[in-house]
Amino acid sequence: FCSSTFSFAITTPYLNYIFTLHVYKLIASRTITTFCYTNPSTWSSLSYGCPSFSVVRKVSSTLEDVLESSAKGNLSENLRVAGDLAPQVYLQKFSWDLAKYPVKQPLRAISDVISKDVSHIEEELKTRYSKYNTLKGNLQQLERKSTGSLLTRNIADLVKKEDFVLNSEYLITLVVIIPKLMSDDWIKAYERLSVKVVPRSSRLVFEDSEHQLVTVTIFRTVQDEFKSKCRENKFMVRDFQYDENEIQAGKDELDKLSAEKKKKFGPLVKWLKINFGEAFVAWMHIKALRVFTESVLRYGLPVNFQAMLVRPVKKNHKRMKEILNQLYGHLDSTALSSQHLSSMEIPGFSMMPSDYYAYVFYKITMDMLEPSR
């Protein structure tokens, strides 16, 4: 294929590109032409054997997810092909990559090479993204523990050493979470929840919009009784023991995961940007192979046709197909007949519109994100 065999028309920004094939001229390798004609079974591998488009979407969706809440720009600015070309521009300038996919090879071999390249990208994407997601998930889990309600969050960063009686054989300091509306009830009741509560030992350490975090010192022998009484009075005793080594280890783990995520972010974004381009190039080469293959199978030899890219205004799709049918309907009368039948309204019988035309037709959807997005 040569870039001169493709023409491109732009009428309005719209994300659906359409391959239409006209019987005219095409520069192509006779080796491929002969193989296409004598081995039509290869068509199935071109239609279903290469997951290029799905991989393009997976890579772009992953890139969007990784770039989320970063300062690396929006998704469209990062989706580039063959260096720094936007996908639409690459389509306009498409030419067959002779170095990567030599046309002297059989069509099956070219298709297998493309499929292998795309499958390799897909497998590596799974591995890289899985590792990054695991790291991201562990970091988010630790971050969530340091925020949220006092009933569940990590309170290690809220208390200080002086809030506790440490290394005592008889005394222990407990951390209690009290609803704000019950703070007066706590002050009046805590000394009487057990017979061995240190008087006036309750201290307010931290509070949010709903709860207060207080400490209270009691004798170790009445821990169970005190906790039971707290539950009866809707006060929650948190299972917490002050340990400077454990608190520091938790902070170090958070810092370590945060640093590791930043370290992996750059290389992952770079890999995704490069391999989006690689997957997109592979997808376009599969499209070109499909256009060429079906054209030879449909119109026969010698090769005499031209491939073109059309970018119509959305509302003009129907009009465009009508004009193409007028120009090329004589090439295959059965195509017009099937379209006419599918457009007929027969009571009690429904027919889907036909995708078979007198010309070879492929739709290229430029929405690079998964449909669910």
Side-chain angles (χ1 to χ4, degrees), residues 9 18 72 90 94 110 121 152 167 220 230 276-277 322 362:
I18 298 174
K72 292 292 184 178
Y90 174 79
F94 176 82
I110 296 176
I121 292 174
T152 56
N167 305 318
R220 291 181 180 273
C230 282
F276 168 81
E322 290 174 352
Y362 289 111

Side-chain angles (χ1 to χ4, degrees), residues 230-285:
C230 282
R231 285 194 296 270
E232 292 176 8
N233 288 272
K234 298 182 180 179
F235 306 137
M236 178 182 176
V237 179
R238 291 288 304 268
D239 185 14
F240 177 82
Q241 292 183 350
Y242 187 86
D243 187 316
E244 287 183 321
N245 293 330
E246 288 188 9
I247 293 174
Q248 187 59 46
K251 292 179 180 179
D252 292 344
E253 180 67 14
L254 183 62
D255 293 341
K256 178 183 176 182
L257 290 176
S258 181
E260 193 172 349
K261 182 189 173 187
K262 290 179 181 178
K263 182 179 178 181
K264 290 184 178 296
F265 175 83
L268 179 59
V269 169
K270 182 178 180 181
W271 185 90
L272 289 168
K273 291 168 69 173
I274 291 173
N275 284 276
F276 168 81
E278 292 294 318
F280 190 88
V281 167
W283 179 37
M284 288 302 101
H285 279 73

